[in-house]
Amino acid sequence: MSPEQMLTVAVEEARAGLAEGGIPIGAALFGPDGEVLGRGHNRRVQDGDPSMHAETAAFRAAGRLRGYGRTTMVTTLSPCWYCSGLVRQFGIGRVVVGEARTFFGGHDWLTEHGVEVTVLDDPICVNLMTDFIAARPDLWFEDIGE
């Protein structure tokens, strides 16, 4: 499965989050053979839980695994420090980022520590976030801690 194909799952999640009144960030954790292990979207608004980021939701949905080194975390937006820490903590081997224009998180740090990172600069992901930030700057800046 190509990174672009995997990203479609994360985009579906981002759109679901937006439809629920939340922040349009989606993620999915894939196994080495391309199977979806878990998927989710940012639910900070919906659940009133500041720690429920898209990557966290996808990771939790995947359940326990013996190891994560051969998995791929796909996210519509560059992972924040919290989610980058999750990738490092559990040794996720690869991260695919939909876009890093609207938010440049910890993906360079991940690369420096041996994680394979691919940034796609996907226009759908850019538009989702650009439109959301313009419409709801209050929620966006709260989500990134500003």
Side-chain angles (χ1 to χ4, degrees):
M1 193 173 228
S2 74
E4 292 81 7
Q5 290 170 314
M6 290 189 283
L7 183 62
T8 62
V9 176
V11 169
E12 288 172 8
E13 287 294 328
R15 288 183 171 143
L18 182 61
E20 295 170 359
I23 298 164
I25 303 169
L29 186 66
F30 288 84
D33 297 323
E35 70 276 19
V36 177
L37 301 174
R39 56 190 290 166
H41 50 271
N42 184 304
R43 297 194 51 83
R44 185 183 62 75
V45 174
Q46 298 91 313
D47 295 352
D49 179 352
S51 70
M52 190 46 81
H53 290 200
E55 297 89 341
T56 306
F59 183 77
R60 288 178 180 173
R64 291 177 58 201
L65 301 175
R66 286 192 58 81
Y68 297 88
R70 296 181 57 212
T71 64
T72 301
M73 178 66 77
V74 180
T75 179
T76 58
L77 185 64
S78 179
C80 69
W81 290 110
Y82 170 67
C83 295
S84 295
L86 180 143
V87 169
R88 287 281 320 277
Q89 175 68 31
F90 291 95
I92 294 171
R94 182 175 177 217
V95 175
V96 173
V97 176
E99 69 102 348
R101 287 191 213 177
T102 58
F103 179 77
F104 197 96
H107 66 265
D108 280 351
W109 177 75
L110 291 172
T111 299
E112 291 168 10
H113 289 89
V115 178
E116 179 187 336
V117 176
T118 302
V119 179
L120 298 176
D121 197 29
D122 180 80
I124 293 170
C125 294
V126 171
N127 289 336
L128 272 170
M129 288 309 302
T130 302
D131 292 349
F132 177 76
I133 292 167
R136 295 299 312 267
D138 56 324
L139 278 180
W140 171 243
F141 290 114
E142 180 184 328
D143 194 62
I144 61 170
E146 291 185 8

